[in-house]
Amino acid sequence: MKKLLVCTGGGDCPGLNAVIRGIFKTAKKTKEWEVYGSIEAFNGVMAEPTQIIKLTKAKVGGIHVKGGTILKTTNRGNPLQFPVQDENGNIIFEDRTDVLAKKIKELGFDAVINIGGDGSQKISKALFDLGVPIIGVPKTIDNDLSATDTTFGFQTAVQIASDSFDKLVTTAESHHRVMIMEVMGRDAGWIALHTAIAGGAEICLIPEIPYDIKKVKEKIDSRYEKGRGFVNIVIAEGAKAKGGNVVGSERETVSEHLRLGGVAYQLSYELKAAGCKPEIRETVLGHIQRGGTPVSYDRVLATMFGVKAFELVQNEQFGQMVSFKNNDYCSVSLEEAVKDYNVVNPESFLVKGAKAMGMSFGD
Ligand code: F6P
């Protein structure tokens, strides 16, 4: 029997389990492969003793509807920047991919499928360059990978954010308030933009279009002057004022991004400072957007990504990442996969269309 190793890395995302199930079911059907899972990304391989589990029907059956990942995940312990102590006891960071590649080989794996976002696919590429037969599967709720038209988790995040937005509209209306809802997405405004359009927000602020606080206030004032008496704003966590900075807290490890969060409060403060009279309330949705069961669209996408990933393994097309482009399942090289980010184009029809509907981007 050949041995396939699967792991999930980076932040969790609804649909990860559906990918694992897609891989497992198609691999088992061949009767040639045993499927294993490394616990907490590649940490399971690096650990002594290793933390690797054999996937079975009992472990994988029905998991496609479950959020999170049965293999656990982490955005720490990146083998490209692995924390070690130097002779003075200080923490320094080393590239440990060679050690990881050696270990994967020693453990006798014939193929690896790495499910993760941009950071994880950079690890996949480094391992492939060291001769590991590896396939990448893209994952991110942020929809910020350019090598695929979409990723599983995104639709679920938008659905959760839209449901929350709808709830905030009724309370905004009752209290004549300005409601600011902050959503995730890092440096991309996709979740914010889709949620704002789906919910009918008056204002949508995204990283790709730095806002002018005067313009935001003007839009609010015009709504109150027209007697509408309430305003709902969606703001992406990575949004910033023209000439301003993103809002976040210091990262704890070198491999972690700056932790974004709190821009809703910053906007609220700026609006009050600019003389905005109506009462303002802020909601930061946070990790709710990543939790729970994936919507059907994401289950389908994730399942097919799993099936496609195993097809690539069978065909020995290593060094590729599964992709969904032009309504079709395909693959791109890992090199291509990590080249560019996918951010909202301010000149796109989506932005122009939202503006045509009366939405302000504060520009
Ligand atoms: O990339 C997914 C994401 O949820 C971002 O939208 C967010 O900025 C980040 O991860 C949060 O990361 P963590 O789970 O480490 O707080």
Side-chain angles (χ1 to χ4, degrees):
M1 289 290 256
K2 288 188 272 189
K3 285 171 72 178
L4 171 63
L5 181 70
V6 179
C7 70
T8 50
D12 70 344
C13 174
L16 286 169
N17 284 327
V19 181
I20 296 168
R21 178 172 165 270
I23 295 167
F24 177 81
K25 287 192 76 138
T26 45
K28 286 317 275 181
K29 231 166 154 227
T30 64
K31 297 194 169 45
E32 292 168 17
W33 290 86
E34 277 172 346
V35 186
Y36 294 82
S38 171
I39 301 299
E40 270 194 9
F42 285 113
N43 287 353
V45 174
M46 295 291 261
E48 290 297 349
T50 56
Q51 289 186 17
I52 293 173
I53 56 166
K54 188 171 176 190
L55 297 183
T56 59
K57 260 189 190 169
K59 285 200 177 84
V60 171
I63 60 168
H64 56 299
V65 299
K66 247 186 103 183
T69 160
I70 60 161
L71 296 177
K72 317 289 178 213
T73 186
T74 180
N75 44 22
R76 284 150 197 250
N78 179 350
L80 287 164
Q81 289 169 310
F82 200 79
V84 287
Q85 269 192 348
D86 69 7
E87 62 274 14
N88 303 319
N90 300 320
I91 299 288
I92 55 162
F93 296 91
E94 276 182 9
D95 182 351
R96 285 286 189 92
T97 34
D98 52 342
V99 182
L100 176 59
K102 202 165 154 250
K103 193 102 186 265
I104 291 170
K105 215 169 171 193
E106 277 166 14
L107 291 165
F109 289 108
D110 300 285
V112 180
I113 297 178
N114 189 19
I115 313 165
D118 169 61
S120 302
Q121 298 319 331
K122 284 189 177 131
I123 299 167
S124 303
K125 167 138 190 347
L127 288 172
F128 179 68
D129 291 344
L130 289 167
V132 176
I134 192 164
I135 299 293
V137 174
K139 160 252 60 158
T140 164
I141 62 162
D142 304 334
N143 199 36
D144 59 356
L145 291 171
S146 64
T148 179
D149 288 350
T150 190
T151 51
F152 59 89
F154 172 64
Q155 293 296 342
T156 304
V158 170
Q159 191 61 54
I160 294 168
S162 304
D163 290 346
S164 309
F165 182 87
D166 293 347
K167 292 180 171 73
L168 288 171
V169 170
T170 60
T171 165
E173 194 168 8
S174 307
H175 285 268
H176 312 290
R177 278 175 175 158
V178 175
M179 288 289 187
I180 305 173
M181 186 176 88
E182 177 181 322
V183 297
M184 283 185 163
R186 289 213 62 81
D187 305 319
W190 293 110
I191 299 177
L193 180 55
H194 280 247
T195 303
I197 296 173
E202 284 74 36
I203 300 169
C204 176
L205 304 177
I206 57 175
E208 296 85 346
I209 309 178
Y211 61 85
D212 177 344
I213 196 68
K214 282 201 209 111
K215 294 276 168 59
V216 180
K217 182 177 172 292
E218 265 169 39
K219 176 71 182 177
I220 295 172
D221 289 346
S222 81
R223 284 270 301 176
Y224 281 87
E225 278 155 20
K226 282 183 204 142
R228 294 294 284 139
F230 69 99
V231 172
N232 282 86
I233 303 176
V234 180
I235 186 164
E237 61 180 2
K240 54 181 182 300
K242 277 185 185 155
N245 292 315
V246 291
V247 180
S249 51
E250 280 308 302
R251 56 192 190 173
E252 284 168 17
T253 70
V254 77
S255 54
E256 203 187 355
H257 297 284
L258 172 81
R259 263 194 228 165
L260 297 174
V263 71
Y265 298 102
Q266 171 76 18
L267 178 67
S268 175
Y269 171 81
E270 288 171 0
L271 281 170
K272 281 175 206 150
C276 187
K277 293 281 173 297
E279 262 192 297
I280 307 174
R281 292 290 185 272
E282 313 80 14
T283 302
V284 179
L285 273 193
H287 292 79
I288 284 176
Q289 292 158 94
R290 273 182 16 198
T293 186
V295 296
S296 309
Y297 181 90
D298 283 338
R299 288 184 213 172
V300 175
L301 192 64
T303 303
M304 289 305 121
F305 272 5
V307 173
K308 186 73 190 174
F310 182 69
E311 182 187 290
L312 294 172
V313 167
Q314 267 301 61
N315 296 340
E316 298 186 5
Q317 286 174 272
F318 298 112
Q320 296 280 302
M321 183 186 82
V322 170
S323 164
F324 185 69
K325 270 197 178 280
N326 304 321
N327 225 12
D328 200 11
Y329 294 89
C330 54
S331 68
V332 294
S333 71
L334 284 169
E335 194 167 352
E336 189 68 21
V338 296
K339 226 165 43 198
D340 292 315
Y341 280 108
N342 173 34
V343 291
V344 175
N345 176 356
E347 299 305 319
S348 63
F349 185 77
L350 209 56
V351 173
K352 285 188 177 155
K355 284 185 175 171
M357 295 287 292
M359 193 182 292
S360 166
F361 288 78
D363 60 339

